[in-house]
């Protein structure tokens, strides 16, 4: 069957995430397999505006899946939010003969794709962010690696916190969401996990679990705080010192969580998603976001995807609370 598109531009936008390179490789190699040309656009929408492109062939994406970051660089473009920026981007597509675009990133990336689709370009989004905050997808590229990276650091912190019988407050990324904090908290056996989705009641959410753990014999405590919680890790630590008189240290994991070689899960999901994005374009589909629903790869209309809301892992939260030693009722 002949492909509905002839030349695809692929780019990464917003915060980078481990696994983006595997997605790029998959987009390029699937395109070539289907007889479609593939061009890399560097620096996201900024590069699309300025015609910052690189020709991608089979060999140029060899041995990139195991590397963190993105070989196409990433950026957040303010210019693209303005109509004149979008017109310049359309101009680049016309000049380069690009009839389709694959954008790898978060909701902001998908909003940009929607604007371009309104000018007749076929577009597909792939969810790539360590935050796992894309509502239509149970999984986003980079999430598993970020969880594991945070976990490795927290395991190290626990050694020293235990030796000194201290309280450790660790701030993890996640933007305005607490998905990363919950997964990391469950995996490291945290005493407390605070997320922006739930307003913090210090007595109930921090003091009580720590007290129960202390009564149960514990002398060191791990408190995970999502960066979106008001006053962040430093604010929570200050209150722990003042109200519980615990020797407390703060660690902000920051951008360390965005780096490193992607896990097998991230490489696999990125590879499947990249493949699906090109298959959709070749079949004449546009304005779709490739998504995961459990182990299945599905796709949604971009407008519908952007209107969806994602809740926290309620089962995970319930299990975590059951294990912190706080009695129900
Ligand atoms: O969206 C990914 C993310 O790492 C968020 O977790 C974080 O809030 C933000 O990006 C940081 O962005 P920047 O790299 O621009 O500081």
């Amino acid at each position: 069957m002949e492909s509905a598109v002839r030349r695809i531009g692929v780019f990464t936008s917003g915060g980078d995430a481990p696994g983006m390179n595997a997605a790029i490789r998959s987009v390029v190699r699937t395109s070539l397999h289907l007889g479609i040309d593939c061009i890399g656009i560097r620096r996201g929408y900024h590069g699309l505006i300025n015609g910052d492109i690189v020709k991608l062939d089979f060999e140029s994406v060899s041995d990139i899946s195991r590397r963190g970051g993105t070989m196409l660089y990433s950026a957040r473009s303010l210019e693209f939010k303005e109509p004149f920026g979008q017109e310049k981007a359309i101009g680049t597509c016309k000049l380069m003969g690009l009839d389709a675009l694959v954008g790898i990133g978060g909701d902001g990336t998908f909003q940009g794709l929607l604007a371009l689709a309104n000018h007749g370009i076929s577009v597909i989004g792939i969810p790539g962010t360590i935050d796992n905050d894309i509502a239509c997808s149970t999984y986003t590229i980079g999430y598993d690696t970020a969880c594991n990276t945070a976990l490795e650091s927290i395991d190290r912190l626990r050694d020293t916190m235990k030796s000194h019988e201290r309280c450790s407050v660790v701030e993890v990324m996640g933007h305005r969401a607490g998905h990363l904090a919950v997964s990391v908290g469950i995996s490291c056996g945290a005493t407390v996990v605070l997320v922006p989705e739930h307003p913090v009641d210090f007595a109930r959410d921090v003091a009580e679990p720590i007290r129960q753990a202390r009564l149960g014999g514990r002398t060191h405590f791990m408190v995970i705080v999502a960066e979106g919680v008001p006053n962040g890790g430093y604010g929570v630590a200050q209150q722990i010192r003042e109200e519980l008189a615990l020797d407390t240290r703060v660690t902000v994991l920051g951008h360390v969580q965005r780096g490193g070689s992607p896990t097998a899960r991230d490489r696999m999901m990125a590879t499947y998603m990249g493949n699906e994005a090109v298959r959709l374009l070749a079949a004449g589909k546009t304005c779709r976001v490739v998504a995961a629903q459990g182990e299945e790869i599905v796709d949604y209309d971009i407008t519908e995807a952007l209107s969806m809301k994602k809740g926290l892992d309620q089962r995970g939260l319930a299990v975590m609370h059951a294990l912190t030693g706080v009695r129900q009722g």
Side-chain angles (χ1 to χ4, degrees):
M1 198 181 66
E2 201 176 319
S3 165
V5 297
R6 286 172 298 119
R7 185 167 297 135
I8 293 176
V10 58
F11 64 93
T12 47
S13 174
D16 65 346
M20 281 183 164
N21 280 328
I24 294 167
R25 173 178 175 273
S26 181
V27 167
V28 172
R29 295 224 169 145
T30 305
S31 298
L32 296 176
H33 176 67
L34 297 176
I36 303 167
D37 269 358
C38 197
I39 281 177
I41 296 148
R42 291 187 295 204
R43 303 176 178 87
Y45 288 109
H46 183 70
L48 195 59
I49 288 171
N50 297 305
D52 185 358
I53 60 142
V54 54
K55 187 96 178 73
L56 295 173
D57 58 17
F58 192 89
E59 204 39 42
S60 58
V61 291
S62 167
D63 195 26
I64 61 166
S65 292
R66 67 190 170 95
R67 300 186 193 282
T70 159
M71 69 169 283
L72 293 176
Y73 303 97
S74 196
R76 304 186 202 271
S77 170
L78 289 178
E79 205 183 349
F80 185 76
K81 293 204 162 97
E82 306 297 331
F84 80 93
Q86 291 172 15
E87 274 159 34
K88 277 164 94 178
I90 296 292
T92 302
C93 292
K94 284 186 181 156
L95 181 66
M96 306 295 171
L98 293 174
D99 46 13
L101 291 170
V102 174
I104 307 164
D107 282 344
T109 307
F110 304 157
Q111 264 149 11
L113 288 175
L114 202 54
L116 293 171
N118 291 335
H119 291 84
I121 314 255
S122 296
V123 298
I124 303 285
I126 295 180
T129 162
I130 65 161
D131 302 334
N132 201 20
D133 61 350
I134 308 284
C136 70
S137 190
T138 51
Y139 192 78
T140 60
I141 297 167
Y143 184 57
D144 190 56
T145 308
C147 285
N148 280 291
T149 303
L151 203 54
E152 195 188 320
S153 300
I154 291 166
D155 286 348
R156 286 166 198 256
L157 277 170
R158 196 186 274 282
D159 291 342
T160 168
M161 291 300 141
K162 199 169 179 178
S163 305
H164 285 267
E165 299 178 293
R166 282 173 171 159
C167 177
S168 185
V169 175
V170 180
E171 184 181 297
V172 299
M173 276 190 167
H175 195 42
R176 296 198 193 95
H179 307 287
L180 194 57
V182 170
S183 291
V184 165
I186 292 170
S187 319
C188 78
T191 309
V192 173
V193 178
L194 302 178
V195 292
E197 289 86 344
H198 298 164
V200 178
D201 173 332
F202 186 83
R204 179 195 64 198
D205 303 328
V206 183
E208 189 55 18
I210 289 179
R211 186 171 298 122
Q212 293 295 339
R214 183 68 194 91
L215 288 170
R218 175 158 288 227
T219 58
H220 74 283
F221 311 93
M222 187 60 72
V223 176
I224 307 295
V225 181
E227 65 177 348
V229 168
N231 303 322
Y234 283 101
V236 173
Q238 186 59 25
Q239 220 171 342
I240 290 175
R241 284 189 200 104
E242 285 168 9
E243 299 195 23
L244 303 176
L246 284 173
D247 189 10
T248 304
R249 294 290 186 275
V250 183
T251 306
V252 177
L253 292 180
H255 289 79
V256 162
Q257 294 158 103
R258 289 236 298 256
S261 181
T263 58
R265 178 152 174 77
D266 272 326
R267 296 184 209 190
M268 298 268 290
M269 294 303 273
T271 301
Y272 290 147
M273 286 180 172
N275 176 264
E276 187 60 14
V278 177
R279 284 158 48 97
L280 288 170
L281 286 171
K285 302 261 177 67
T286 180
C287 259
R288 311 294 294 173
V289 176
V290 176
Q293 282 303 325
E295 292 310 303
E296 250 190 275
I297 303 294
V298 295
D299 57 280
Y300 290 90
D301 173 73
I302 293 189
T303 310
E304 186 194 349
L306 288 170
S307 71
M308 291 164 84
K309 299 264 174 289
K310 190 176 201 171
L312 284 178
D313 171 9
Q314 291 304 327
R315 178 165 164 256
L317 280 172
V319 170
M320 200 177 63
H321 288 143
L323 303 186
T324 51
V326 179
R327 281 178 190 273
Q328 249 184 3

